[in-house]
Amino acid sequence: MNNYRNYINGEWLESVSDKTIQNINPANVKDVIGTVKLSTREEAKRAVEIAYDAFRDWKNTPAPTRGRIVMRAARLLEDNKEELAQILTREEGKTIGESRGELQRSINVAEFCAGEARRLNGETIQSELPANFAYTIKQPHGVVALITPWNFPVAIPVWKIAPALVAGNTIVFKPAESTPSTAVRVVEIFEEAGVPKGVLNLILGAGAEIGEEIANHAAVKAVSFTGSTEIGVKLYGQCASRGAKVQCEMGGKNPVVVMEDCDMDLAVESTAQGAFGSTGQRCTATSRAVVIDRIADEFVERIVERAKRMRLGDGALPETEMGPSVDEKQFNTVLRYIDIGREDGAEMLCGGKHAEGNGLENGYFIEPTVFDRVTPDMRIAQEEIFGPVLSVLRVKDFDEAMVVANDSQYGLTSSIFTGDPNLIFRFVQEIETGMTHINSPTTGGEAHIPFGGIKMTGIGEREQGSTALDFYTELKVVYVDYTGRKREGNLY
Ligand code: ADP
């Protein structure tokens, strides 16, 4: 059994707290992986102070040197890929294939950010004055707080830690309560890669205490958060009052639009992957299928048939297609939304309950669930469920499909299935999401491509890709006058 420790000032320290929670395998609740001590506010404050003290030296370390450390972390992630994938599956429940995919994404992100360390460039700018010029440099903020969720407990920390380090910030990292094993391993990897002491600090604890403590600490200049909209918006408000920078990646209610001329096999399989892959616990999961009436019966029949064929089980088994909900709380949330869907009058065509047989009753497994004849006003059409639940909304034509698809407070990702180039380009133009996919699932992304959403999904700069370092740097503008003389008059 693991007893997880905090990592502060280069040392692994046991919290003095007497509050603990257990880390449980969601595929089999009898498998207790470890015990997490929920750290105290004092410990969180100390982590921030240590990061503050470490900042000056780290900032003055040349960016390519910082990048080399991140590159070493990429190599270590690669060397330890299988071990981390196994830990991830046991702790979070996703299938081993999904875990390996998440590890590969993390490696790619670390590699990409390491390369960016040699491109942390500014620009030179012509002046209106003779013998003058201006230039810009990118500088780190200082201490940044990274607050992460449980659904991608390796990739999300890596895609925040790597750019934060490359930019020259020091870090206090607070992972989700339910995924401490992966958080500890990620930090161990950066430690082994050579991150100097005090530069990266890990503090385990409750969001409402530790998360709030670090996000509101005066020395924390920027907060990068991934999680629920409720908490993200709250942090945004709190940080605004002291001018701290905020980046939030929050909820989604991602639609696929299925047109009459679609490749039906592709549309069904991609929707199933998007809706039930990772047990629907991705912010990019497909949760609404907006389908043209004339083909809706066929689509519904086939997606239900596919949902019923999903092989549920322990993610560690190679044949498993879908794992459990991450914990009891999430399991109960999903079941509650299924009840709400029924009460609101949607037609539940399959799933809807705790899966049984082959030991599934020992884990938080919910049968893949499809609701038909969902209307935009229903709560299951509007609220993020984060489980294997798909809502089908029937529409008469493309114009109505766009109104329905955009009828959401969220705007992360979307997809359309059609062979008509006119509709594809109209869709790209009109859909209100930060990312969109054509004839492919709503999920997925690449390390060197920006990631993020609009509306209530995203606040601040995009993560990853060409924009990965934007949030972690401030731009300084420098005016250089090399006339050696007092300036005549005033330009303006
Ligand atoms: P999820 O539903 O994905 O768990 P949350 O928004 O509750 O989303 O949690 C995401 C992260 O935010 C977790 O690390 C959690 O501990 C942290 N968190 C939760 N509440 C707060 C809070 N009030 N302030 C700061 N962080 C919080």
Side-chain angles (χ1 to χ4, degrees):
M1 266 243 297
N2 293 297
N3 280 313
Y4 308 100
R5 289 162 187 248
N6 294 323
Y7 183 68
I8 299 174
N9 204 19
E11 284 182 271
W12 291 95
L13 302 170
E14 191 167 333
S15 168
V16 298
S17 167
D18 52 10
K19 280 195 240 163
T20 59
I21 52 170
Q22 286 193 319
N23 184 21
I24 289 170
N25 179 347
N28 175 8
V29 297
K30 292 175 198 151
D31 177 19
V32 179
I33 306 167
T35 302
V36 191
K37 285 197 165 186
L38 300 175
S39 306
T40 63
R41 285 181 183 266
E42 286 311 311
E43 288 165 326
K45 275 187 201 143
R46 178 163 152 73
V48 175
E49 285 157 13
I50 291 294
Y52 181 82
D53 290 343
F55 176 59
R56 177 178 283 273
D57 282 352
W58 185 239
K59 175 187 175 188
N60 291 332
T61 302
T65 306
R66 299 193 299 251
R68 191 168 295 129
I69 292 172
V70 172
M71 185 58 91
R72 233 177 271 138
R75 292 286 75 83
L76 289 167
L77 282 167
E78 199 161 41
D79 295 346
N80 295 279
K81 182 176 173 182
E82 190 55 30
E83 180 230 351
L84 264 105
Q86 300 283 349
I87 293 174
L88 172 49
T89 287
R90 184 171 172 210
E91 172 170 82
E92 200 268 357
K94 63 180 65 177
T95 68
I96 190 67
E98 289 165 344
S99 291
R100 289 181 187 131
E102 178 171 342
L103 260 297
Q104 191 55 49
R105 175 79 171 271
S106 311
I107 294 162
N108 298 349
V109 168
E111 277 176 358
F112 176 81
C113 289
E116 288 296 278
R118 289 186 182 271
R119 279 185 292 269
L120 204 53
N121 304 328
E123 55 181 343
T124 54
I125 307 166
Q126 295 289 324
S127 171
E128 295 174 355
L129 301 170
N132 274 255
F133 79 105
Y135 68 97
T136 63
I137 52 176
K138 289 180 184 162
Q139 295 193 302
H141 297 291
V143 183
V144 298
L146 309 181
I147 301 177
T148 60
W150 45 261
N151 66 331
F152 283 88
V154 177
I156 295 176
V158 170
W159 83 48
K160 294 184 193 296
I161 291 171
L165 288 178
V166 163
N169 299 283
T170 55
I171 298 169
V172 178
F173 164 39
K174 197 216 85 67
E177 293 86 320
S178 44
T179 48
S181 302
T182 39
V184 165
R185 283 299 288 129
V186 165
V187 172
E188 282 173 352
I189 278 177
F190 279 95
E191 177 188 33
E192 195 182 337
V195 173
K197 68 180 185 145
V199 170
L200 170 61
N201 303 279
L202 167 72
I203 180 109
L204 301 167
E209 286 193 32
I210 300 309
E212 228 178 79
E213 187 67 40
I214 61 172
N216 289 302
H217 195 295
V220 170
K221 298 294 178 218
V223 179
S224 181
F225 167 87
T226 302
S228 63
T229 300
E230 182 199 345
I231 303 296
V233 167
K234 185 173 162 194
L235 288 178
Y236 187 36
Q238 289 172 337
C239 291
S241 63
R242 63 187 173 86
K245 302 279 181 292
V246 180
Q247 173 183 60
C248 293
E249 194 53 56
M250 304 176 286
K253 194 71 196 169
N254 311 301
V256 296
V257 169
V258 185
M259 298 303 300
E260 271 170 286
D261 71 326
C262 73
D263 173 335
M264 187 58 85
D265 289 342
L266 181 67
V268 169
E269 192 52 39
S270 303
T271 304
Q273 268 181 33
F276 309 131
S278 295
T279 322
Q281 301 180 128
R282 289 191 270 221
C283 44
T284 57
T286 306
S287 58
R288 295 179 295 151
V290 181
V291 187
I292 299 295
D293 241 332
R294 276 183 291 275
I295 54 159
D297 285 344
E298 185 190 353
F299 177 85
V300 165
E301 188 185 317
R302 292 183 58 179
I303 195 90
V304 166
E305 186 269 328
R306 182 67 187 92
K308 287 181 175 165
R309 267 197 293 121
M310 288 298 284
R311 290 188 303 269
L312 275 56
D314 184 334
L317 304 172
E319 65 273 15
T320 298
E321 284 182 298
M322 195 187 101
S325 292
V326 71
D327 58 17
E328 190 177 3
K329 179 167 162 259
Q330 194 58 32
F331 173 79
N332 287 330
T333 300
V334 177
L335 289 178
R336 197 170 63 247
Y337 270 112
I338 290 170
D339 285 343
I340 290 170
R342 278 207 209 95
E343 283 158 20
D344 284 354
E347 278 180 37
M348 197 181 79
L349 300 180
C350 63
K353 57 181 197 305
H354 190 178
E356 291 170 350
N358 291 328
L360 294 179
E361 53 284 353
N362 296 327
Y364 300 120
F365 292 94
I366 295 176
E367 294 175 352
T369 304
V370 177
F371 279 103
D372 192 11
R373 300 189 188 278
V374 175
T375 52
D377 56 317
M378 290 181 187
R379 285 182 63 189
I380 58 167
Q382 294 295 339
E383 297 174 24
E384 187 177 49
I385 301 173
F386 235 54
V389 181
L390 178 71
S391 296
V392 178
L393 296 97
R394 296 173 175 236
V395 292
K396 65 176 188 306
D397 57 18
F398 178 79
D399 288 335
E400 191 186 351
M402 292 313 298
V403 172
V404 169
N406 284 333
D407 183 2
S408 171
Q409 64 170 327
Y410 297 116
L412 184 58
T413 177
S414 54
S415 178
I416 186 168
F417 291 89
T418 177
D420 182 338
N422 295 339
L423 291 184
I424 290 172
F425 282 97
R426 278 185 60 195
F427 180 77
V428 168
Q429 192 66 18
E430 291 172 30
I431 192 70
E432 296 169 0
T433 57
M435 302 179 286
T436 193
H437 298 254
I438 312 301
N439 290 316
S440 53
T442 55
T443 53
E446 297 182 29
H448 56 292
I449 300 177
F451 179 97
I454 60 172
K455 295 162 103 174
M456 287 292 271
T457 294
I459 294 167
E461 279 93 343
R462 294 287 192 275
E463 299 192 76
Q464 302 177 71
S466 52
T467 50
L469 270 76
D470 291 355
F471 176 71
Y472 295 101
T473 51
E474 289 282 11
L475 201 67
K476 181 175 279 176
V477 178
V478 185
Y479 287 91
V480 180
D481 181 330
Y482 57 98
T483 58
R485 290 194 306 272
K486 180 164 104 48
R487 192 170 295 167
E488 297 295 326
N490 211 338
L491 192 57
Y492 296 109

